[in-house]
Amino acid sequence: MKQILLITDGCSNVGPSPIMAAAHALQEGITVNVVGVLDYGTIGELGGFEIQEIAKAGGGIHRIVGTPQLARTMQMMTRKTVVQTIQQAVNKEIQQILGGGALEDLPPDKRSQVVEVVDELAETSPLQVALLIDASASMKPKLGAVEEAIRDLMLSLKARAGSSRLAVFHFPGRGSGEDVVKDVDWTSDLDGARGLFHRLQMKGATPTGPALLKVIDYYRYGTLEGNQSWQGDSGQEEGMLGDYVV
């Protein structure tokens, strides 16, 4: 199972729409979940709307949290999405067997057996999580909470019975032409990955859409360079709602 877990305060302002990018991820079999760490006021409201729509387009879930709840929320969302993905697959199988029925149509004893299987698969199925961190200037006050949340997420993944692989990216990059930077390649050595997060420097604009597209390509090609699998219409690339069709 493939996931992108985006941590952001919303309000992307460079490149193609992140909503369209999330829809593209879903087409590629990648669920996009979003944790929003927002400020109050108009900017926070706009960011909240964008966060909700990104998750909706990416077939995932979203949560708006304050920094104290960030770590627990990331763990919860990862597990909930795994269970949700497995439930969807199981429901499709049940519909085929029952000729269009659903889990709720099964007798209680059979239903409980299916739920047990779903829970077991959630713990044992292989999982890949691409963690994508908004490192724009507006996220700087939240860096400490983000680092703590990443450590807790790694502990949660490590506790699973199934294999868990994590890759970590942040955006924007060091230069104006660098939309995203890979901090940690796919790894199961979750302890060894912890020490790399001190390198995050919060600065610059918020190219959420381009960053998502790059991570999708990384899933496909194993590189951030070239082979871009989707390009927006250059005439409609700026702003949060550019190319907004879901």
Side-chain angles (χ1 to χ4, degrees):
M1 290 176 288
K2 301 176 181 178
Q3 293 186 26
I4 295 174
L5 178 53
L6 170 65
I7 304 176
T8 182
D9 57 1
C11 295
S12 62
N13 51 22
V14 176
S17 162
I19 299 165
M20 278 303 299
H24 180 58
L26 186 60
Q27 292 176 349
E28 295 288 328
I30 305 166
T31 302
V32 180
N33 300 312
V34 191
V35 179
V37 190
L38 299 184
D39 299 313
Y40 294 104
T42 304
I43 298 298
E45 291 178 5
L46 290 172
F49 172 75
E50 177 179 278
I51 286 162
Q52 178 179 341
E53 293 301 310
I54 292 172
K56 180 180 177 182
I61 56 180
H62 77 282
R63 291 291 184 273
I64 307 297
V65 300
T67 51
Q69 295 82 38
L70 182 58
R72 185 185 308 172
T73 300
M74 287 173 61
Q75 295 180 46
M76 177 276 296
M77 287 182 64
T78 296
R79 172 169 175 76
K80 184 173 181 179
T81 308
V82 170
V83 172
Q84 179 177 292
T85 302
I86 293 171
Q87 282 177 334
Q88 290 171 351
V90 170
N91 280 334
K92 287 182 181 179
E93 293 292 330
I94 292 174
Q95 287 175 5
Q96 291 181 357
I97 294 171
L98 299 181
L103 177 61
E104 292 74 18
D105 298 327
L106 294 175
D109 59 332
K110 296 294 184 183
R111 193 184 314 153
S112 64
Q113 291 177 18
V114 172
V115 171
E116 288 180 9
V117 170
V118 169
D119 287 342
E120 181 178 353
L121 288 174
E123 283 300 311
T124 59
S125 298
L127 174 64
Q128 283 185 290
V129 180
L131 185 59
L132 180 58
I133 303 166
D134 179 351
S136 59
S138 59
M139 284 286 289
K140 189 171 183 178
K142 303 149 190 170
L143 176 58
V146 170
E147 291 181 341
E148 180 182 352
I150 292 168
R151 287 193 293 268
D152 282 5
L153 175 62
M154 287 180 170
L155 290 173
S156 176
L157 293 176
K158 189 177 179 181
R160 296 182 71 249
S163 65
S164 298
R165 301 177 70 212
L166 181 75
V168 183
F169 307 84
H170 77 268
F171 66 97
R174 291 171 288 272
S176 58
E178 192 173 32
D179 295 323
V180 66
V181 174
K182 178 183 68 178
D183 298 294
V184 180
D185 201 353
W186 292 119
T187 181
S188 299
D189 179 17
L190 302 180
D191 286 328
R194 291 186 191 184
L196 299 175
F197 301 115
H198 67 277
R199 298 185 307 184
L200 288 179
Q201 295 182 357
M202 302 332 213
K203 61 179 182 180
T206 312
T208 311
L212 282 167
L213 292 173
K214 290 279 189 175
V215 173
I216 295 167
D217 275 349
Y218 198 80
Y219 262 113
R220 295 186 66 187
Y221 305 112
T223 178
L224 295 174
E225 302 300 326
N227 297 315
Q228 188 74 10
S229 58
W230 185 92
Q231 293 286 347
D233 181 348
S234 60
Q236 294 183 327
E237 289 187 346
E238 293 297 330
M240 184 177 75
L241 297 180
D243 299 330
Y244 175 47
V245 179
V246 177

